[in-house]
Amino acid sequence: MKRIHFLFFCLLCCAVATAQSQSLAAALEALNQRQSDYEISFIHNDLEHLQVTANVSGLSIPKAISRLCKDQPVRVKRKGHDIFVQYKPKADNRFIVLTGKVKDNLTHNDLPHSNVRLLTADGVRIDSCEAISYMQYGNNPPIEYADFGFRVPARPAKYIIQATYVGFKTAEVPFELNNIYRREQRRELPPIYMKRETKMLQEVVVTSSKVHTNSIRPLARSTSCASMSDRVSAISTASIWLTKSAAQSTPSHSTTR
């Protein structure tokens, strides 16, 4: 009888191991229904949103449950042949801040006011922010920095950090949050380097044409010059007339010797 149970349990473990991903509640329920040595107690609604993928081939029921519940917000208690799996909601109240910088790939300078998004591994947006700009003085010239930060639950997860900036290509960097320490509150991410966006100009044809302009004579100057010449001519005529008049009015004196 024990041999049959052992073979049946091995088949069950193989079935769980080949599964791609399933909820923790479904995995525990499958273990509970296909064996009679242990009674597994849990609340289905509390564990159905927790996804697990684990290979439990060749493990006993207690070790298989420990493998499935690893890195999950649950607590496992064993009393004889009774195993209790309890959801720990207090683990969700602990958060960690992910901080980082956005830099130019060419100059390695920070890009202030760049837009940063926090995405899930499937590309669903969780949060977004703008890189805060601040100046560090004491250098010549002062250096401008830009930092961003996201507050996420302190549990293992996979994220994508997406950064956008005017004149640069969109950058996406995958990040996996794991190995979280009990008192860890902040974690520095690797810098996000953005490449400049190059734009090719279309072909431009430049044509030239001669501009013909007619010479414009200075009419006002010609008019003034004409009036001056008329005045000079009138003055000359008047001078000749006065000279003739004076010659006619003067009597001629003859001298006889």
Side-chain angles (χ1 to χ4, degrees):
M1 188 69 181
K2 292 184 178 180
R3 185 176 181 181
I4 295 175
H5 282 212
F6 178 75
L7 292 175
F8 187 77
F9 175 69
C10 290
L11 293 176
L12 174 63
C13 291
C14 292
V16 175
T18 55
Q20 293 292 333
S21 179
Q22 59 180 339
S23 66
L24 179 58
L28 294 177
E29 187 175 359
L31 291 176
N32 203 15
Q33 291 179 355
R34 299 181 182 181
Q35 56 85 33
S36 58
D37 294 338
Y38 294 90
E39 182 67 25
I40 306 173
S41 301
F42 62 93
I43 300 177
H44 189 277
N45 293 336
D46 291 345
L47 306 181
E48 62 180 356
H49 69 283
L50 302 176
Q51 297 296 318
V52 295
T53 302
N55 185 5
V56 295
S57 177
L59 299 178
S60 62
I61 290 293
K63 290 184 178 180
I65 295 176
S66 299
R67 178 72 62 85
L68 291 174
C69 296
K70 184 180 180 181
D71 297 329
Q72 295 293 340
V74 296
R75 180 173 55 186
V76 180
K77 285 186 177 181
R78 178 183 174 184
K79 293 183 179 180
H81 291 277
D82 294 329
I83 300 177
F84 302 91
V85 181
Q86 184 180 2
Y87 179 58
K88 296 192 303 181
K90 293 183 178 180
D92 294 339
N93 296 332
R94 183 167 168 257
F95 291 87
I96 186 172
V97 179
L98 306 178
T99 61
K101 298 179 180 293
V102 182
K103 293 180 175 290
D104 187 345
N105 185 51
L106 184 61
T107 62
H108 287 195
N109 293 332
D110 286 20
L111 298 177
H113 307 294
S114 55
N115 296 320
V116 187
R117 291 183 177 183
L118 178 66
L119 311 177
T120 62
D122 299 331
V124 180
R125 187 177 72 172
I126 301 176
D127 197 1
S128 62
C129 69
E130 180 178 315
I132 302 175
S133 174
Y134 66 94
M135 303 294 296
Q136 181 177 356
Y137 296 93
N139 300 319
N140 191 16
I143 302 176
E144 186 175 11
Y145 292 96
D147 292 349
F148 67 89
F150 295 105
R151 187 170 177 260
V152 298
R155 59 171 177 262
K158 294 182 179 181
Y159 300 100
I160 297 177
I161 310 297
Q162 183 186 81
T164 58
Y165 194 76
V166 179
F168 289 80
K169 297 180 180 179
T170 301
E172 292 185 354
V173 178
F175 174 74
E176 183 176 0
L177 179 62
N178 52 20
N179 299 328
I180 304 173
Y181 297 101
R182 181 172 298 180
R183 297 185 179 181
E184 186 177 7
Q185 299 180 353
R186 182 182 299 269
R187 180 169 297 190
E188 184 75 19
L189 302 179
I192 301 177
Y193 291 98
M194 303 188 65
K195 296 182 179 180
R196 295 179 180 269
E197 189 175 21
T198 57
K199 295 183 179 180
M200 299 298 295
L201 297 178
Q202 298 180 354
E203 183 179 358
V204 179
V205 179
V206 180
T207 59
S208 62
S209 61
K210 295 182 179 180
V211 180
H212 300 280
T213 57
N214 296 326
S215 58
I216 302 176
R217 296 179 180 179
L219 297 178
R221 185 175 180 180
S222 300
T223 305
S224 60
C225 291
S227 60
M228 288 295 294
S229 59
D230 293 341
R231 291 180 182 180
V232 171
S233 178
I235 294 174
S236 300
T237 304
S239 300
I240 295 173
W241 183 79
L242 291 175
T243 303
K244 290 182 178 181
S245 299
Q248 290 178 1
S249 60
T250 303
S252 60
H253 296 279
S254 59
T255 303
T256 56
R257 293 182 179 180

